[in-house]
Amino acid sequence: MSSPATLSATTASTERLRGIAHVALDMDGTIYKGGTMFACTLPFLAQMHAMGIGCTFLTNNPSKSSADYLAHLEQMGLTASPDELYTSTQATIDWLHTHRPAVRRLFALGTPSMLSQFREAGFTLTADDARDEPDAVVIGFDLTLSYDRACRAAWWVQQGKLFVATNPDRVCPTDQPTVLIDCGSICAMIEKATGRAPDIVLGKPDPAMLDGILRRHGLRPHQIAMVGDRIYTDILMAHRAHALGVLVLTGEATAADARHAEHPPHLVVPSLAEFGALLAAARNAVRP
Protein backbone atom coordinates (compact mmCIF):
# COMPACT_ATOMS: atom_id res chain seq x y z
CA MET A 1 0.00 0.00 0.00
CA SER A 2 1.25 3.47 -0.84
CA SER A 3 2.11 5.80 2.02
CA PRO A 4 -0.68 8.20 3.03
CA ALA A 5 0.53 11.09 0.93
CA THR A 6 -0.20 12.48 -2.48
CA LEU A 7 1.08 10.14 -5.16
CA SER A 8 3.77 11.50 -7.41
CA ALA A 9 4.76 10.31 -10.85
CA THR A 10 6.86 7.41 -9.61
CA THR A 11 7.13 3.81 -10.70
CA ALA A 12 5.35 2.75 -7.51
CA SER A 13 2.40 5.10 -8.05
CA THR A 14 2.14 4.10 -11.70
CA GLU A 15 1.99 0.44 -10.69
CA ARG A 16 -0.70 1.19 -8.12
CA LEU A 17 -2.80 3.04 -10.69
CA ARG A 18 -2.22 0.33 -13.30
CA GLY A 19 -3.69 -2.22 -10.87
CA ILE A 20 -6.99 -0.37 -10.34
CA ALA A 21 -9.87 -2.55 -11.57
CA HIS A 22 -12.81 -0.74 -10.00
CA VAL A 23 -13.66 2.83 -9.02
CA ALA A 24 -16.06 3.58 -6.17
CA LEU A 25 -17.47 7.04 -6.79
CA ASP A 26 -18.98 9.37 -4.26
CA MET A 27 -21.89 11.20 -5.84
CA ASP A 28 -22.71 14.73 -4.68
CA GLY A 29 -19.54 16.81 -4.96
CA THR A 30 -17.79 14.20 -7.11
CA ILE A 31 -19.94 13.37 -10.14
CA TYR A 32 -22.41 16.22 -9.71
CA LYS A 33 -23.28 19.06 -7.35
CA GLY A 34 -26.93 19.48 -6.42
CA GLY A 35 -28.76 19.18 -9.71
CA THR A 36 -25.78 19.87 -11.97
CA MET A 37 -23.75 17.05 -13.51
CA PHE A 38 -20.09 17.94 -13.90
CA ALA A 39 -19.02 18.17 -17.54
CA CYS A 40 -16.26 15.60 -17.00
CA THR A 41 -18.48 12.89 -15.47
CA LEU A 42 -19.96 11.16 -18.50
CA PRO A 43 -16.66 11.20 -20.47
CA PHE A 44 -14.91 9.75 -17.39
CA LEU A 45 -17.44 6.92 -17.11
CA ALA A 46 -17.12 6.19 -20.84
CA GLN A 47 -13.34 6.12 -20.45
CA MET A 48 -13.58 3.67 -17.52
CA HIS A 49 -15.87 1.42 -19.57
CA ALA A 50 -13.43 1.50 -22.49
CA MET A 51 -10.57 0.50 -20.16
CA GLY A 52 -12.59 -2.30 -18.55
CA ILE A 53 -12.67 -0.58 -15.15
CA GLY A 54 -15.92 -1.03 -13.24
CA CYS A 55 -17.73 1.78 -11.40
CA THR A 56 -20.07 1.83 -8.42
CA PHE A 57 -21.80 4.91 -7.03
CA LEU A 58 -21.72 5.36 -3.26
CA THR A 59 -23.54 8.03 -1.32
CA ASN A 60 -23.80 8.95 2.34
CA ASN A 61 -26.94 10.93 1.56
CA PRO A 62 -29.95 8.90 2.77
CA SER A 63 -32.56 11.52 1.85
CA LYS A 64 -33.46 9.76 -1.41
CA SER A 65 -34.36 6.12 -2.00
CA SER A 66 -32.31 4.01 -4.39
CA ALA A 67 -35.04 4.39 -7.02
CA ASP A 68 -35.00 8.17 -6.49
CA TYR A 69 -31.24 8.28 -6.96
CA LEU A 70 -31.38 6.21 -10.15
CA ALA A 71 -34.11 8.51 -11.49
CA HIS A 72 -32.08 11.58 -10.46
CA LEU A 73 -29.05 10.26 -12.33
CA GLU A 74 -31.21 9.41 -15.34
CA GLN A 75 -32.54 12.98 -15.46
CA MET A 76 -28.95 14.23 -15.65
CA GLY A 77 -28.14 11.80 -18.46
CA LEU A 78 -26.49 9.00 -16.48
CA THR A 79 -28.08 5.57 -16.65
CA ALA A 80 -27.16 3.18 -13.84
CA SER A 81 -28.50 -0.14 -12.56
CA PRO A 82 -29.52 -0.87 -8.93
CA ASP A 83 -26.43 -3.03 -8.34
CA GLU A 84 -24.23 -0.05 -9.27
CA LEU A 85 -25.57 1.99 -6.33
CA TYR A 86 -25.13 1.68 -2.56
CA THR A 87 -26.49 4.23 -0.09
CA SER A 88 -26.05 4.82 3.63
CA THR A 89 -29.72 3.88 4.12
CA GLN A 90 -28.97 0.45 2.65
CA ALA A 91 -25.89 0.21 4.87
CA THR A 92 -27.95 1.07 7.96
CA ILE A 93 -30.63 -1.48 7.12
CA ASP A 94 -27.99 -4.16 6.48
CA TRP A 95 -26.27 -3.35 9.80
CA LEU A 96 -29.50 -3.54 11.80
CA HIS A 97 -30.51 -6.82 10.17
CA THR A 98 -27.07 -8.34 10.79
CA HIS A 99 -26.08 -6.92 14.18
CA ARG A 100 -29.40 -6.03 15.85
CA PRO A 101 -31.96 -8.49 14.44
CA ALA A 102 -34.27 -7.99 17.44
CA VAL A 103 -34.68 -4.29 16.58
CA ARG A 104 -37.94 -3.92 14.66
CA ARG A 105 -39.45 -0.63 15.89
CA LEU A 106 -37.73 2.63 14.99
CA PHE A 107 -38.22 6.29 15.75
CA ALA A 108 -36.54 7.84 12.74
CA LEU A 109 -35.72 11.34 11.58
CA GLY A 110 -35.58 11.21 7.81
CA THR A 111 -37.27 12.14 4.57
CA PRO A 112 -40.34 10.23 3.34
CA SER A 113 -38.08 8.45 0.82
CA MET A 114 -35.73 7.26 3.56
CA LEU A 115 -38.57 6.20 5.85
CA SER A 116 -40.21 4.22 3.03
CA GLN A 117 -37.05 2.14 2.63
CA PHE A 118 -37.11 1.18 6.31
CA ARG A 119 -40.77 0.18 6.03
CA GLU A 120 -40.03 -1.88 2.92
CA ALA A 121 -37.23 -3.60 4.86
CA GLY A 122 -39.74 -4.74 7.49
CA PHE A 123 -39.34 -2.11 10.20
CA THR A 124 -42.22 -0.42 12.04
CA LEU A 125 -41.86 3.35 12.40
CA THR A 126 -43.20 4.73 15.67
CA ALA A 127 -45.15 7.95 16.09
CA ASP A 128 -44.17 11.13 17.89
CA ASP A 129 -45.76 9.84 21.08
CA ALA A 130 -44.16 8.89 24.41
CA ARG A 131 -46.50 5.87 24.56
CA ASP A 132 -45.29 4.50 21.18
CA GLU A 133 -41.96 3.06 22.29
CA PRO A 134 -39.26 2.23 19.72
CA ASP A 135 -36.38 -0.23 19.97
CA ALA A 136 -33.98 2.29 18.45
CA VAL A 137 -33.61 5.84 17.21
CA VAL A 138 -32.32 6.33 13.66
CA ILE A 139 -31.15 9.75 12.53
CA GLY A 140 -30.66 10.56 8.85
CA PHE A 141 -30.26 13.63 6.66
CA ASP A 142 -33.76 14.93 7.34
CA LEU A 143 -34.79 17.71 4.97
CA THR A 144 -38.26 17.60 6.60
CA LEU A 145 -36.94 17.97 10.17
CA SER A 146 -39.36 19.46 12.70
CA TYR A 147 -38.55 20.74 16.17
CA ASP A 148 -41.09 18.44 17.86
CA ARG A 149 -39.71 15.30 16.23
CA ALA A 150 -36.13 16.31 17.05
CA CYS A 151 -37.20 16.70 20.69
CA ARG A 152 -38.87 13.27 20.64
CA ALA A 153 -35.72 11.69 19.21
CA ALA A 154 -33.67 13.31 21.98
CA TRP A 155 -36.14 11.97 24.55
CA TRP A 156 -35.74 8.37 23.37
CA VAL A 157 -31.96 8.76 23.20
CA GLN A 158 -32.04 10.06 26.77
CA GLN A 159 -34.02 6.95 27.76
CA GLY A 160 -31.13 4.80 26.57
CA LYS A 161 -32.50 3.54 23.25
CA LEU A 162 -30.02 2.37 20.62
CA PHE A 163 -28.86 5.53 18.81
CA VAL A 164 -28.01 4.99 15.12
CA ALA A 165 -26.78 7.57 12.61
CA THR A 166 -26.98 6.83 8.90
CA ASN A 167 -23.91 8.95 8.09
CA PRO A 168 -21.43 11.36 9.74
CA ASP A 169 -21.62 14.21 7.19
CA ARG A 170 -21.98 17.64 8.75
CA VAL A 171 -23.25 19.39 5.61
CA CYS A 172 -24.48 18.27 2.19
CA PRO A 173 -22.87 19.85 -0.89
CA THR A 174 -25.20 22.12 -2.86
CA ASP A 175 -25.09 24.46 -5.83
CA GLN A 176 -27.66 26.70 -4.14
CA PRO A 177 -26.95 29.74 -1.88
CA THR A 178 -27.57 27.93 1.42
CA VAL A 179 -26.01 25.51 3.91
CA LEU A 180 -27.67 22.08 3.99
CA ILE A 181 -27.33 20.81 7.56
CA ASP A 182 -26.69 17.06 7.35
CA CYS A 183 -27.02 14.06 9.64
CA GLY A 184 -23.80 14.68 11.58
CA SER A 185 -24.97 18.14 12.60
CA ILE A 186 -28.42 16.87 13.62
CA CYS A 187 -26.76 14.19 15.74
CA ALA A 188 -24.48 16.82 17.28
CA MET A 189 -27.56 18.75 18.38
CA ILE A 190 -29.05 15.63 20.00
CA GLU A 191 -25.72 14.72 21.59
CA LYS A 192 -25.44 18.22 23.07
CA ALA A 193 -28.97 17.95 24.48
CA THR A 194 -28.64 14.44 25.91
CA GLY A 195 -24.94 13.89 26.57
CA ARG A 196 -24.98 10.77 24.32
CA ALA A 197 -23.21 10.33 21.00
CA PRO A 198 -24.56 7.81 18.46
CA ASP A 199 -23.84 4.19 19.31
CA ILE A 200 -23.02 3.48 15.66
CA VAL A 201 -22.45 5.75 12.66
CA LEU A 202 -22.98 4.03 9.32
CA GLY A 203 -22.01 5.15 5.83
CA LYS A 204 -18.58 6.36 4.93
CA PRO A 205 -15.96 6.17 6.48
CA ASP A 206 -17.14 2.72 7.62
CA PRO A 207 -15.10 0.39 5.36
CA ALA A 208 -18.08 -1.97 5.14
CA MET A 209 -19.41 0.39 2.45
CA LEU A 210 -16.75 -1.10 0.15
CA ASP A 211 -17.10 -4.75 1.24
CA GLY A 212 -20.01 -5.49 -1.05
CA ILE A 213 -18.11 -4.19 -4.07
CA LEU A 214 -15.09 -6.31 -3.23
CA ARG A 215 -17.20 -9.44 -2.79
CA ARG A 216 -19.39 -8.82 -5.84
CA HIS A 217 -16.45 -8.38 -8.19
CA GLY A 218 -13.92 -10.69 -6.54
CA LEU A 219 -11.47 -7.86 -5.92
CA ARG A 220 -8.71 -7.17 -3.42
CA PRO A 221 -8.59 -3.79 -1.64
CA HIS A 222 -5.55 -2.59 -3.62
CA GLN A 223 -7.58 -2.98 -6.84
CA ILE A 224 -10.19 -0.39 -5.88
CA ALA A 225 -10.01 3.41 -5.86
CA MET A 226 -12.35 5.37 -3.61
CA VAL A 227 -12.95 8.76 -5.23
CA GLY A 228 -14.67 11.55 -3.34
CA ASP A 229 -14.63 15.17 -2.23
CA ARG A 230 -14.46 14.68 1.55
CA ILE A 231 -11.45 13.73 3.59
CA TYR A 232 -13.29 12.69 6.75
CA THR A 233 -15.60 10.28 4.92
CA ASP A 234 -14.34 9.24 1.47
CA ILE A 235 -10.59 9.39 2.10
CA LEU A 236 -10.72 8.07 5.67
CA MET A 237 -12.74 5.08 4.43
CA ALA A 238 -10.14 4.43 1.74
CA HIS A 239 -7.44 4.29 4.43
CA ARG A 240 -9.51 2.00 6.64
CA ALA A 241 -10.32 -0.30 3.73
CA HIS A 242 -6.73 -0.24 2.34
CA ALA A 243 -8.02 1.18 -0.95
CA LEU A 244 -6.55 4.03 -2.99
CA GLY A 245 -7.99 7.32 -1.71
CA VAL A 246 -8.48 9.92 -4.45
CA LEU A 247 -9.64 13.42 -3.53
CA VAL A 248 -11.37 15.51 -6.20
CA LEU A 249 -11.49 19.26 -5.63
CA THR A 250 -15.01 19.68 -7.01
CA GLY A 251 -16.81 19.53 -3.67
CA GLU A 252 -16.12 20.20 -0.02
CA ALA A 253 -12.38 19.71 0.61
CA THR A 254 -9.63 21.96 -0.69
CA ALA A 255 -6.00 21.27 -1.55
CA ALA A 256 -5.05 22.99 1.73
CA ASP A 257 -7.36 20.63 3.64
CA ALA A 258 -5.57 17.70 2.00
CA ARG A 259 -2.13 18.99 3.00
CA HIS A 260 -3.14 19.33 6.65
CA ALA A 261 -5.29 16.20 6.98
CA GLU A 262 -4.54 13.56 9.58
CA HIS A 263 -5.35 10.95 6.92
CA PRO A 264 -4.32 12.66 3.67
CA PRO A 265 -5.43 11.45 0.24
CA HIS A 266 -3.10 9.21 -1.72
CA LEU A 267 -3.90 11.34 -4.75
CA VAL A 268 -5.39 14.83 -5.22
CA VAL A 269 -6.85 15.85 -8.59
CA PRO A 270 -8.92 18.84 -9.72
CA SER A 271 -11.69 16.59 -11.06
CA LEU A 272 -12.50 13.15 -12.48
CA ALA A 273 -11.03 14.22 -15.82
CA GLU A 274 -7.50 14.37 -14.42
CA PHE A 275 -7.92 11.08 -12.56
CA GLY A 276 -9.04 9.41 -15.78
CA ALA A 277 -5.99 10.78 -17.54
CA LEU A 278 -3.71 9.38 -14.83
CA LEU A 279 -5.32 5.94 -15.02
CA ALA A 280 -4.98 5.93 -18.82
CA ALA A 281 -1.34 7.04 -18.61
CA ALA A 282 -0.58 4.29 -16.09
CA ARG A 283 -2.18 1.68 -18.34
CA ASN A 284 -0.12 2.90 -21.28
CA ALA A 285 3.18 3.31 -19.43
CA VAL A 286 6.01 1.02 -20.42
CA ARG A 287 6.98 -1.28 -17.59
CA PRO A 288 10.62 -0.87 -16.49
Side-chain angles (χ1 to χ4, degrees):
M1 179 176 177
S2 303
S3 61
T6 303
L7 284 171
S8 58
T10 64
T11 300
S13 65
T14 298
E15 286 299 314
R16 183 74 190 271
L17 288 168
R18 184 185 283 124
I20 296 299
H22 202 96
V23 176
L25 292 161
D26 171 59
M27 295 174 68
D28 212 336
T30 300
I31 65 171
Y32 61 78
K33 181 171 283 190
T36 306
M37 183 75 73
F38 294 131
C40 60
T41 297
L42 295 181
F44 173 82
L45 295 174
Q47 183 182 29
M48 295 303 100
H49 179 74
M51 291 195 293
I53 296 175
C55 293
T56 298
F57 305 105
L58 299 183
T59 179
N60 265 12
N61 186 339
S63 66
K64 298 182 179 69
S65 68
S66 297
D68 289 338
Y69 269 117
L70 294 174
H72 183 57
L73 292 174
E74 183 75 37
Q75 289 172 357
M76 291 188 287
L78 198 168
T79 301
S81 62
D83 62 358
E84 293 175 317
L85 178 70
Y86 195 61
T87 73
S88 59
T89 299
Q90 292 171 297
T92 303
I93 290 169
D94 289 345
W95 186 87
L96 287 169
H97 281 159
T98 301
H99 298 282
R100 296 292 190 275
V103 169
R104 307 309 304 163
R105 295 171 57 78
L106 306 175
F107 185 82
L109 298 184
T111 61
S113 286
M114 186 191 102
L115 299 182
S116 69
Q117 290 187 90
F118 280 98
R119 290 191 188 95
E120 291 166 5
F123 294 96
T124 297
L125 300 181
T126 62
D128 182 6
D129 187 330
R131 296 165 297 181
D132 196 3
E133 186 174 359
D135 301 317
V137 175
V138 174
I139 308 298
F141 173 32
D142 189 0
L143 293 162
T144 61
L145 182 66
S146 71
Y147 181 76
D148 288 346
R149 287 184 60 79
C151 292
R152 181 63 60 200
W155 164 255
W156 289 124
V157 168
Q158 194 173 64
Q159 304 314 301
K161 298 299 180 183
L162 177 68
F163 182 11
V164 179
T166 60
N167 58 293
D169 304 69
R170 297 183 288 267
V171 297
C172 179
T174 179
D175 54 359
Q176 300 302 307
T178 188
V179 174
L180 295 179
I181 295 171
D182 209 326
C183 178
S185 296
I186 298 172
C187 288
M189 173 181 67
I190 292 173
E191 179 180 353
K192 194 72 173 179
T194 64
R196 275 190 67 198
D199 297 304
I200 181 72
V201 180
L202 283 305
K204 299 171 289 184
D206 187 338
M209 287 286 281
L210 290 179
D211 287 348
I213 298 174
L214 296 175
R215 289 193 302 269
R216 186 180 303 143
H217 299 283
L219 299 172
R220 303 294 297 275
H222 69 272
Q223 294 177 293
I224 193 166
M226 177 63 226
V227 185
D229 68 302
R230 296 182 177 190
I231 294 170
Y232 64 95
T233 57
D234 303 310
I235 302 305
L236 180 55
M237 182 176 70
H239 281 279
R240 291 178 174 177
H242 305 294
L244 180 70
V246 181
L247 181 73
V248 289
L249 302 179
T250 47
E252 181 178 310
T254 65
D257 293 332
R259 287 193 296 271
H260 297 102
E262 180 181 358
H263 301 283
H266 299 101
L267 182 64
V268 180
V269 290
S271 72
L272 290 175
E274 290 78 12
F275 181 50
L278 288 172
L279 286 172
R283 289 288 182 95
N284 295 328
V286 177
R287 293 178 183 272

